[in-house]
Coordinates of all heavy atoms in Angstrom, one line a residue:
M1437 N 5.8 -12.8 -7.3 CA 4.9 -12.2 -6.2 C 5.3 -10.8 -5.9 O 6.5 -10.6 -5.6 CB 5.0 -13.2 -5.0 CG 4.1 -12.8 -3.8 SD 2.4 -13.0 -4.1 CE 2.0 -14.5 -3.3
L1438 N 4.4 -9.9 -5.9 CA 4.7 -8.5 -5.5 C 4.4 -8.4 -4.0 O 3.4 -8.8 -3.5 CB 3.7 -7.6 -6.2 CG 4.1 -6.1 -6.3 CD1 5.3 -5.9 -7.2 CD2 2.9 -5.3 -6.8
V1439 N 5.4 -7.9 -3.3 CA 5.3 -7.8 -1.8 C 5.0 -6.3 -1.5 O 5.8 -5.4 -1.8 CB 6.6 -8.2 -1.1 CG1 6.4 -8.1 0.4 CG2 6.9 -9.7 -1.4
V1440 N 3.8 -6.1 -0.9 CA 3.4 -4.8 -0.5 C 3.5 -4.7 1.0 O 2.8 -5.4 1.7 CB 2.0 -4.4 -1.0 CG1 1.5 -3.1 -0.5 CG2 1.9 -4.5 -2.5
K1441 N 4.3 -3.8 1.5 CA 4.4 -3.7 3.0 C 3.8 -2.3 3.4 O 4.3 -1.3 3.0 CB 5.9 -3.8 3.4 CG 6.4 -5.1 3.3 CD 7.9 -5.1 3.8 CE 8.5 -6.5 3.5 NZ 10.0 -6.4 3.7
I1442 N 2.8 -2.4 4.3 CA 2.2 -1.1 4.7 C 2.8 -0.8 6.1 O 2.8 -1.7 7.0 CB 0.7 -1.3 4.9 CG1 0.1 -1.7 3.5 CG2 0.0 -0.1 5.4 CD1 -0.9 -2.8 3.5
C1443 N 3.3 0.4 6.3 CA 3.9 0.7 7.5 C 2.9 0.9 8.6 O 1.9 1.5 8.5 CB 4.7 2.1 7.4 SG 5.4 2.6 9.0
I1444 N 3.2 0.2 9.7 CA 2.2 0.3 10.9 C 3.0 0.9 12.1 O 2.6 0.7 13.2 CB 1.6 -1.1 11.2 CG1 2.7 -2.2 11.3 CG2 0.6 -1.5 10.2 CD1 2.2 -3.4 12.0
G1445 N 4.0 1.6 11.8 CA 4.7 2.4 12.8 C 3.7 3.4 13.4 O 2.7 3.7 12.8
S1446 N 4.1 4.0 14.5 CA 3.1 4.9 15.2 C 2.7 6.1 14.4 O 1.5 6.5 14.4 CB 3.7 5.3 16.6 OG 4.9 5.8 16.5
S1447 N 3.6 6.7 13.7 CA 3.3 7.9 12.9 C 2.3 7.5 11.8 O 1.3 8.2 11.6 CB 4.5 8.5 12.3 OG 4.2 9.6 11.4
C1448 N 2.6 6.5 11.0 CA 1.7 6.0 10.0 C 0.4 5.5 10.5 O -0.7 5.7 9.9 CB 2.4 5.0 9.1 SG 3.7 5.6 8.1
Y1449 N 0.5 4.9 11.7 CA -0.8 4.4 12.3 C -1.7 5.5 12.5 O -2.9 5.4 12.2 CB -0.4 3.6 13.6 CG -1.6 3.0 14.2 CD1 -2.0 1.7 13.7 CD2 -2.4 3.6 15.1 CE1 -3.1 1.1 14.2 CE2 -3.5 2.9 15.7 CZ -3.9 1.7 15.2 OH -5.0 1.1 15.7
L1450 N -1.2 6.6 13.0 CA -2.0 7.8 13.3 C -2.6 8.4 12.0 O -3.6 9.1 12.1 CB -1.2 8.9 14.1 CG -0.9 8.5 15.5 CD1 0.0 9.6 16.1 CD2 -2.2 8.4 16.3
K1451 N -1.9 8.2 10.9 CA -2.4 8.7 9.7 C -3.2 7.8 8.9 O -3.4 8.0 7.7 CB -1.2 9.2 8.9 CG -0.6 10.4 9.6 CD 0.7 10.8 9.0 CE 1.4 11.9 9.8 NZ 2.6 11.3 10.4
G1452 N -3.7 6.7 9.5 CA -4.7 5.9 8.8 C -4.2 4.6 8.3 O -4.8 4.0 7.4
A1453 N -3.0 4.0 8.8 CA -2.5 2.8 8.3 C -3.5 1.6 8.4 O -3.6 0.9 7.4 CB -1.2 2.4 9.0
Q1454 N -4.3 1.6 9.5 CA -5.2 0.5 9.6 C -6.3 0.5 8.5 O -6.6 -0.5 7.9 CB -5.8 0.5 11.0 CG -6.6 -0.8 11.3 CD -5.8 -2.0 11.1 OE1 -4.7 -2.2 11.7 NE2 -6.4 -3.0 10.3
E1455 N -6.8 1.7 8.2 CA -7.8 1.9 7.2 C -7.2 1.5 5.8 O -7.9 0.9 5.0 CB -8.2 3.4 7.1 CG -9.2 3.7 8.1 CD -9.6 5.2 7.9 OE1 -8.9 5.9 7.2 OE2 -10.7 5.6 8.4
L1456 N -5.9 1.9 5.7 CA -5.3 1.6 4.4 C -5.1 0.1 4.2 O -5.2 -0.5 3.1 CB -3.9 2.3 4.4 CG -3.5 2.8 3.0 CD1 -4.6 3.8 2.4 CD2 -2.2 3.5 3.1
V1457 N -4.8 -0.6 5.3 CA -4.7 -2.1 5.2 C -6.0 -2.7 4.7 O -6.0 -3.5 3.8 CB -4.4 -2.7 6.6 CG1 -4.5 -4.2 6.6 CG2 -2.9 -2.3 7.0
D1458 N -7.1 -2.1 5.2 CA -8.5 -2.6 4.7 C -8.6 -2.3 3.2 O -9.2 -3.1 2.5 CB -9.6 -2.0 5.5 CG -9.6 -2.4 7.0 OD1 -9.0 -3.5 7.3 OD2 -10.1 -1.7 7.8
E1459 N -8.2 -1.1 2.8 CA -8.3 -0.7 1.4 C -7.5 -1.7 0.6 O -8.0 -2.2 -0.5 CB -7.8 0.7 1.2 CG -8.6 1.8 1.9 CD -9.8 2.2 1.1 OE1 -10.0 1.8 -0.1 OE2 -10.7 2.9 1.7
F1460 N -6.3 -2.0 1.0 CA -5.5 -2.9 0.2 C -6.1 -4.3 0.2 O -6.2 -4.9 -0.9 CB -4.1 -3.0 0.9 CG -3.1 -2.0 0.3 CD1 -2.8 -0.9 1.1 CD2 -2.5 -2.2 -0.9 CE1 -1.9 0.0 0.6 CE2 -1.6 -1.3 -1.4 CZ -1.3 -0.2 -0.7
R1461 N -6.6 -4.8 1.3 CA -7.2 -6.1 1.3 C -8.4 -6.2 0.3 O -8.5 -7.1 -0.5 CB -7.7 -6.4 2.7 CG -6.6 -6.8 3.6 CD -7.2 -7.6 4.8 NE -6.2 -8.0 5.8 CZ -6.1 -7.6 7.0 NH1 -7.1 -7.0 7.6 NH2 -5.1 -8.0 7.8
N1462 N -9.2 -5.2 0.4 CA -10.4 -5.2 -0.5 C -10.0 -5.1 -2.0 O -10.5 -5.8 -2.8 CB -11.3 -4.0 -0.2 CG -12.0 -4.1 1.1 OD1 -12.1 -5.2 1.6 ND2 -12.4 -3.0 1.7
A1463 N -9.0 -4.2 -2.3 CA -8.5 -4.1 -3.7 C -7.9 -5.3 -4.2 O -8.1 -5.7 -5.4 CB -7.6 -2.9 -3.7
V1464 N -7.2 -6.0 -3.4 CA -6.5 -7.3 -3.8 C -7.6 -8.3 -4.2 O -7.6 -8.9 -5.2 CB -5.6 -7.8 -2.8 CG1 -5.1 -9.2 -3.1 CG2 -4.3 -6.9 -2.6
K1465 N -8.6 -8.4 -3.3 CA -9.7 -9.3 -3.5 C -10.5 -8.9 -4.8 O -10.7 -9.8 -5.6 CB -10.7 -9.2 -2.3 CG -11.2 -10.5 -1.9 CD -12.1 -10.2 -0.6 CE -12.4 -11.5 0.0 NZ -13.2 -11.2 1.2
E1466 N -10.8 -7.7 -4.9 CA -11.6 -7.2 -6.1 C -10.9 -7.5 -7.4 O -11.6 -7.8 -8.4 CB -11.9 -5.7 -6.0 CG -13.1 -5.4 -5.1 CD -13.1 -3.9 -4.8 OE1 -12.4 -3.1 -5.5 OE2 -13.8 -3.5 -3.8
N1467 N -9.6 -7.5 -7.4 CA -8.8 -7.7 -8.6 C -8.4 -9.2 -8.7 O -7.6 -9.5 -9.6 CB -7.6 -6.8 -8.6 CG -8.1 -5.4 -8.9 OD1 -8.4 -5.0 -10.0 ND2 -8.1 -4.5 -7.8
N1468 N -8.9 -10.0 -7.8 CA -8.5 -11.5 -7.8 C -7.0 -11.6 -7.9 O -6.5 -12.4 -8.6 CB -9.1 -12.2 -9.0 CG -10.6 -12.2 -8.9 OD1 -11.2 -12.5 -7.8 ND2 -11.3 -11.9 -10.0
A1469 N -6.3 -10.8 -7.1 CA -4.9 -10.8 -7.1 C -4.2 -11.5 -5.9 O -3.0 -11.3 -5.7 CB -4.4 -9.4 -7.3
E1470 N -5.0 -12.3 -5.2 CA -4.4 -12.9 -4.0 C -3.2 -13.7 -4.2 O -2.3 -13.9 -3.4 CB -5.5 -13.8 -3.3 CG -6.6 -13.1 -2.7 CD -7.8 -12.9 -3.6 OE1 -7.7 -13.0 -4.8 OE2 -9.0 -12.7 -3.1
T1471 N -3.1 -14.3 -5.4 CA -1.9 -15.1 -5.7 C -0.7 -14.3 -6.3 O 0.4 -14.8 -6.5 CB -2.2 -16.2 -6.7 OG1 -2.7 -15.6 -7.9 CG2 -3.2 -17.2 -6.1
K1472 N -1.0 -13.0 -6.5 CA 0.1 -12.2 -7.1 C 0.6 -11.1 -6.2 O 1.7 -10.6 -6.4 CB -0.5 -11.5 -8.4 CG -0.9 -12.5 -9.4 CD -1.4 -11.8 -10.7 CE -1.8 -12.8 -11.7 NZ -3.1 -12.5 -12.2
I1473 N -0.2 -10.8 -5.2 CA 0.2 -9.7 -4.3 C 0.2 -10.2 -2.8 O -0.8 -10.8 -2.4 CB -0.8 -8.5 -4.3 CG1 -0.8 -7.9 -5.8 CG2 -0.4 -7.4 -3.3 CD1 -1.9 -6.9 -6.0
E1474 N 1.3 -10.0 -2.2 CA 1.4 -10.4 -0.8 C 1.4 -9.2 0.1 O 2.2 -8.3 -0.1 CB 2.6 -11.2 -0.5 CG 2.8 -11.7 0.9 CD 4.2 -12.3 1.1 OE1 4.6 -13.1 0.2 OE2 4.8 -12.0 2.1
L1475 N 0.4 -9.1 1.0 CA 0.3 -7.9 1.9 C 1.0 -8.2 3.2 O 0.8 -9.3 3.7 CB -1.2 -7.5 2.1 CG -2.0 -7.1 0.9 CD1 -3.4 -6.8 1.4 CD2 -1.4 -5.8 0.3
S1476 N 1.8 -7.2 3.7 CA 2.3 -7.4 5.0 C 2.5 -6.1 5.6 O 2.3 -5.0 5.0 CB 3.6 -8.2 5.0 OG 4.6 -7.5 4.5
G1477 N 2.9 -6.1 6.9 CA 3.1 -4.8 7.6 C 4.6 -4.6 7.7 O 5.4 -5.5 7.6
S1478 N 5.0 -3.4 8.0 CA 6.4 -3.1 8.3 C 6.4 -2.1 9.5 O 5.5 -1.4 9.7 CB 7.1 -2.6 7.1 OG 6.8 -1.2 7.0
F1479 N 7.5 -2.1 10.1 CA 7.7 -1.1 11.2 C 8.2 0.2 10.5 O 8.4 0.2 9.3 CB 8.7 -1.6 12.2 CG 8.1 -2.8 13.0 CD1 8.7 -4.0 12.9 CD2 7.0 -2.6 13.8 CE1 8.1 -5.1 13.5 CE2 6.5 -3.6 14.5 CZ 7.0 -4.9 14.4
C1480 N 8.4 1.2 11.3 CA 8.8 2.5 10.7 C 10.1 2.4 9.9 O 11.0 1.8 10.4 CB 9.0 3.5 11.9 SG 9.6 5.1 11.3
T1481 N 10.0 2.9 8.7 CA 11.2 2.8 7.8 C 11.9 4.1 7.8 O 12.8 4.4 7.0 CB 10.7 2.5 6.4 OG1 9.7 3.4 6.0 CG2 10.2 1.0 6.3
G1482 N 11.5 5.0 8.7 CA 12.2 6.3 8.8 C 11.8 7.3 7.7 O 12.4 8.3 7.5
R1483 N 10.7 7.0 7.1 CA 10.2 7.8 6.0 C 8.8 8.5 6.3 O 8.0 8.7 5.5 CB 10.0 7.0 4.7 CG 11.3 6.3 4.3 CD 12.3 7.3 3.6 NE 11.8 7.8 2.3 CZ 11.9 7.2 1.2 NH1 12.6 6.0 1.1 NH2 11.4 7.7 0.1
C1484 N 8.6 8.7 7.6 CA 7.3 9.3 8.1 C 7.1 10.6 7.3 O 8.0 11.3 7.1 CB 7.4 9.6 9.6 SG 8.0 8.2 10.6
N1485 N 5.9 10.7 6.9 CA 5.5 11.9 6.1 C 4.4 12.7 6.8 O 3.8 12.2 7.7 CB 4.9 11.4 4.8 CG 5.0 12.4 3.7 OD1 6.0 13.2 3.6 ND2 4.0 12.4 2.8
R1486 N 4.3 14.0 6.5 CA 3.3 14.8 7.1 C 1.9 14.3 6.9 O 1.0 14.3 7.7 CB 3.4 16.2 6.7 CG 4.4 17.0 7.6 CD 4.3 18.5 7.2 NE 4.6 18.7 5.9 CZ 3.9 19.6 5.1 NH1 3.0 20.3 5.6 NH2 4.3 19.8 3.8
D1487 N 1.7 13.8 5.7 CA 0.4 13.2 5.3 C 0.5 11.8 4.9 O 1.4 11.5 4.1 CB -0.2 14.0 4.1 CG -0.3 15.5 4.4 OD1 -1.0 15.8 5.4 OD2 0.2 16.3 3.6
G1488 N -0.4 11.0 5.3 CA -0.5 9.7 4.8 C 0.5 8.7 5.3 O 1.3 9.0 6.2
V1489 N 0.5 7.5 4.7 CA 1.2 6.3 5.2 C 2.3 5.9 4.2 O 2.2 6.2 3.0 CB 0.1 5.2 5.3 CG1 0.8 3.9 5.7 CG2 -1.0 5.6 6.3
T1490 N 3.3 5.3 4.7 CA 4.4 4.9 3.9 C 4.1 3.4 3.5 O 3.8 2.6 4.3 CB 5.7 4.9 4.7 OG1 5.9 6.3 5.1 CG2 6.9 4.4 3.8
V1491 N 4.3 3.2 2.2 CA 4.0 1.8 1.6 C 5.2 1.4 0.8 O 5.7 2.2 -0.1 CB 2.7 1.8 0.8 CG1 2.5 0.5 0.2 CG2 1.5 2.2 1.6
Q1492 N 5.7 0.2 1.0 CA 6.8 -0.3 0.2 C 6.2 -1.4 -0.8 O 5.5 -2.2 -0.4 CB 7.8 -0.9 1.1 CG 9.1 -1.2 0.5 CD 10.1 -1.7 1.5 OE1 10.0 -1.4 2.7 NE2 11.2 -2.3 1.0
V1493 N 6.6 -1.2 -2.1 CA 6.2 -2.2 -3.1 C 7.5 -2.8 -3.6 O 8.2 -2.1 -4.3 CB 5.4 -1.5 -4.2 CG1 5.0 -2.5 -5.3 CG2 4.2 -0.8 -3.7
N1494 N 7.7 -4.0 -3.3 CA 9.0 -4.6 -3.5 C 10.1 -3.7 -3.0 O 10.1 -3.4 -1.8 CB 9.2 -5.0 -5.0 CG 8.5 -6.3 -5.3 OD1 8.0 -7.0 -4.4 ND2 8.4 -6.6 -6.6
D1495 N 11.0 -3.2 -3.8 CA 12.1 -2.4 -3.3 C 11.7 -0.9 -3.3 O 12.5 -0.1 -2.8 CB 13.3 -2.6 -4.1 CG 13.9 -4.0 -3.9 OD1 13.6 -4.5 -2.8 OD2 14.5 -4.5 -4.8
A1496 N 10.6 -0.5 -3.8 CA 10.3 0.9 -4.0 C 9.5 1.4 -2.7 O 8.6 0.7 -2.3 CB 9.5 1.2 -5.2
V1497 N 9.9 2.6 -2.2 CA 9.2 3.1 -1.1 C 8.4 4.4 -1.5 O 8.9 5.3 -2.1 CB 10.2 3.5 0.1 CG1 9.4 4.1 1.3 CG2 11.0 2.3 0.5
Y1498 N 7.1 4.4 -1.1 CA 6.2 5.5 -1.4 C 5.7 6.1 -0.1 O 5.3 5.3 0.8 CB 5.0 5.1 -2.3 CG 5.5 4.4 -3.6 CD1 5.6 3.0 -3.7 CD2 5.9 5.2 -4.7 CE1 6.1 2.4 -4.8 CE2 6.3 4.6 -5.9 CZ 6.4 3.2 -5.9 OH 6.9 2.6 -7.1
T1499 N 5.6 7.4 -0.1 CA 5.1 8.0 1.1 C 3.8 8.8 0.8 O 3.5 9.1 -0.4 CB 6.1 9.0 1.7 OG1 6.4 10.0 0.8 CG2 7.4 8.3 2.2
G1500 N 3.1 9.1 1.9 CA 1.9 10.0 1.7 C 0.7 9.3 1.1 O -0.1 9.9 0.5
I1501 N 0.6 8.0 1.3 CA -0.6 7.3 0.7 C -1.8 7.5 1.7 O -1.6 7.2 2.9 CB -0.3 5.8 0.5 CG1 1.0 5.6 -0.1 CG2 -1.5 5.1 -0.3 CD1 1.3 6.3 -1.4
T1502 N -2.9 7.9 1.2 CA -4.1 8.1 2.0 C -5.3 7.4 1.4 O -5.2 6.9 0.2 CB -4.4 9.6 2.0 OG1 -4.8 10.1 0.7 CG2 -3.3 10.5 2.6
K1503 N -6.4 7.4 2.1 CA -7.6 6.8 1.5 C -8.0 7.5 0.2 O -8.5 6.9 -0.7 CB -8.7 7.0 2.5 CG -9.0 5.7 3.3 CD -10.2 5.9 4.2 CE -11.4 5.3 3.5 NZ -12.5 5.0 4.5
E1504 N -7.7 8.8 0.2 CA -8.1 9.7 -0.9 C -7.3 9.3 -2.2 O -7.9 9.3 -3.3 CB -8.0 11.1 -0.6 CG -9.0 11.7 0.4 CD -8.9 11.1 1.8 OE1 -7.8 10.9 2.3 OE2 -10.0 10.9 2.4
N1505 N -6.0 9.1 -2.0 CA -5.2 8.8 -3.3 C -5.0 7.3 -3.4 O -4.2 6.9 -4.3 CB -3.9 9.6 -3.3 CG -3.0 9.3 -2.1 OD1 -3.0 8.1 -1.6 ND2 -2.1 10.2 -1.7
F1506 N -5.6 6.5 -2.6 CA -5.4 5.1 -2.6 C -5.6 4.4 -4.0 O -4.8 3.7 -4.5 CB -6.2 4.3 -1.6 CG -6.1 2.8 -1.7 CD1 -5.0 2.2 -1.2 CD2 -7.0 2.1 -2.4 CE1 -4.8 0.8 -1.3 CE2 -6.9 0.7 -2.6 CZ -5.8 0.1 -2.0
N1507 N -6.8 4.8 -4.6 CA -7.1 4.1 -5.9 C -6.1 4.4 -7.0 O -5.7 3.5 -7.7 CB -8.5 4.5 -6.4 CG -9.6 3.8 -5.6 OD1 -9.4 2.8 -5.0 ND2 -10.8 4.4 -5.6
D1508 N -5.7 5.6 -7.1 CA -4.6 6.0 -8.1 C -3.3 5.2 -7.7 O -2.7 4.7 -8.6 CB -4.4 7.5 -8.1 CG -5.5 8.2 -8.7 OD1 -6.3 7.6 -9.4 OD2 -5.6 9.5 -8.5
F1509 N -3.0 5.2 -6.5 CA -1.7 4.6 -6.1 C -1.8 3.1 -6.4 O -0.9 2.5 -7.0 CB -1.5 4.7 -4.6 CG -0.3 4.0 -4.1 CD1 1.0 4.4 -4.3 CD2 -0.5 2.8 -3.5 CE1 2.1 3.7 -3.9 CE2 0.7 2.0 -3.0 CZ 1.9 2.5 -3.3
F1510 N -2.9 2.5 -6.1 CA -3.0 1.0 -6.3 C -3.0 0.7 -7.8 O -2.3 -0.2 -8.2 CB -4.4 0.5 -5.7 CG -4.4 -1.0 -5.6 CD1 -3.8 -1.7 -4.6 CD2 -5.1 -1.7 -6.6 CE1 -3.8 -3.1 -4.6 CE2 -5.2 -3.1 -6.5 CZ -4.5 -3.8 -5.5
N1511 N -3.7 1.5 -8.6 CA -3.7 1.3 -10.0 C -2.3 1.5 -10.6 O -1.8 0.7 -11.4 CB -4.7 2.2 -10.8 CG -6.1 1.7 -10.5 OD1 -6.3 0.5 -10.3 ND2 -7.0 2.7 -10.5
D1512 N -1.7 2.6 -10.2 CA -0.4 3.0 -10.9 C 0.8 2.2 -10.4 O 1.7 1.9 -11.2 CB -0.1 4.5 -10.7 CG -1.1 5.3 -11.4 OD1 -1.8 4.8 -12.3 OD2 -1.1 6.5 -11.2
Y1513 N 0.9 1.9 -9.1 CA 2.1 1.3 -8.6 C 2.0 -0.2 -8.1 O 3.0 -0.8 -7.8 CB 2.6 2.1 -7.4 CG 3.0 3.5 -7.9 CD1 2.1 4.6 -7.7 CD2 4.2 3.7 -8.6 CE1 2.4 5.8 -8.2 CE2 4.5 5.0 -9.0 CZ 3.6 6.0 -8.8 OH 4.0 7.3 -9.3
V1514 N 0.7 -0.7 -8.1 CA 0.6 -2.1 -7.7 C 0.0 -2.9 -8.8 O 0.7 -3.8 -9.3 CB -0.3 -2.2 -6.4 CG1 -0.5 -3.7 -6.0 CG2 0.3 -1.4 -5.3
L1515 N -1.1 -2.5 -9.3 CA -1.7 -3.3 -10.4 C -0.8 -3.3 -11.7 O -0.6 -4.3 -12.3 CB -3.1 -2.8 -10.8 CG -4.3 -3.2 -9.9 CD1 -5.6 -2.7 -10.6 CD2 -4.3 -4.7 -9.7
R1516 N -0.3 -2.1 -12.0 CA 0.5 -2.0 -13.2 C 1.7 -2.9 -13.1 O 2.2 -3.5 -14.0 CB 1.0 -0.6 -13.4 CG 1.5 -0.3 -14.7 CD 1.8 1.1 -15.0 NE 0.6 1.9 -15.1 CZ 0.6 3.2 -15.2 NH1 1.6 3.9 -15.0 NH2 -0.6 3.9 -15.3
E1517 N 2.3 -3.1 -11.9 CA 3.4 -3.9 -11.6 C 3.1 -5.4 -11.9 O 3.9 -6.1 -12.5 CB 3.9 -3.8 -10.2 CG 4.7 -2.5 -9.9 CD 6.0 -2.4 -10.7 OE1 6.7 -3.4 -10.8 OE2 6.2 -1.3 -11.2
I1518 N 1.9 -5.8 -11.5 CA 1.7 -7.3 -11.7 C 1.2 -7.6 -13.1 O 1.2 -8.7 -13.5 CB 0.6 -7.8 -10.6 CG1 -0.7 -7.1 -10.8 CG2 1.1 -7.7 -9.2 CD1 -1.8 -7.8 -10.0
K1519 N 0.9 -6.5 -13.8 CA 0.5 -6.8 -15.2 C 1.6 -6.7 -16.2 O 1.5 -7.0 -17.4 CB -0.6 -5.7 -15.6 CG -1.9 -6.0 -15.0 CD -3.0 -5.1 -15.4 CE -4.3 -5.4 -14.7 NZ -5.2 -4.3 -14.6
R1520 N 2.8 -6.4 -15.7 CA 3.9 -6.3 -16.6 C 4.4 -7.6 -17.1 O 4.3 -8.6 -16.4 CB 5.1 -5.7 -15.8 CG 4.9 -4.2 -15.6 CD 6.2 -3.5 -15.7 NE 6.7 -3.1 -14.4 CZ 7.8 -2.3 -14.3 NH1 8.5 -2.0 -15.3 NH2 8.1 -1.9 -13.1
Ligands
FES1001 S1 5.9 5.4 11.1 FE1 5.7 4.9 9.0 S2 7.5 5.6 8.1 FE2 7.7 6.1 10.2

């Protein structure tokens, strides 16, 4: 199971964390990956970025995720992981 934690700390929240949660939910559903990806939230990990939201995929931390780069991020760092 791949664990994806979306930061819902105040800085990330202001940069669209809630919208990103919706993007993740939809993407997991569209890819029928409910049994492979677990979505959860996290508090501030101290990696607040000027743009976008911080997302943790298992042990890896990525910053600057936005609605605009979401698809690339999801394909490259989430889908690719579960297809390995
Ligand atoms: S609020 Fe998300 S990393 Fe700080």
Side-chain angles (χ1 to χ4, degrees):
M1437 181 69 100
L1438 194 73
V1439 179
V1440 176
K1441 291 184 186 166
I1442 301 137
C1443 178
I1444 50 165
S1446 50
S1447 172
C1448 287
Y1449 188 83
L1450 288 175
K1451 293 173 189 112
Q1454 189 55 52
E1455 280 181 343
L1456 216 57
V1457 168
D1458 294 339
E1459 295 281 347
F1460 269 104
R1461 283 200 182 123
N1462 292 337
V1464 168
K1465 218 177 194 180
E1466 278 166 18
N1467 289 282
N1468 294 317
E1470 289 94 338
T1471 57
K1472 296 182 185 131
I1473 300 171
E1474 179 185 318
L1475 295 178
S1476 73
S1478 76
F1479 294 110
C1480 180
T1481 51
R1483 302 282 293 273
C1484 313
N1485 201 35
R1486 269 190 302 140
D1487 303 302
V1489 175
T1490 301
V1491 177
Q1492 196 174 337
V1493 180
N1494 281 349
D1495 291 333
V1497 178
Y1498 303 96
T1499 58
I1501 315 305
T1502 62
K1503 259 185 101 158
E1504 287 66 37
N1505 63 27
F1506 173 80
N1507 283 337
D1508 287 342
F1509 175 78
F1510 192 80
N1511 287 331
D1512 291 349
Y1513 296 101
V1514 181
L1515 279 187
R1516 194 174 287 171
E1517 285 295 317
I1518 62 170
K1519 285 182 181 156
R1520 284 216 252 186

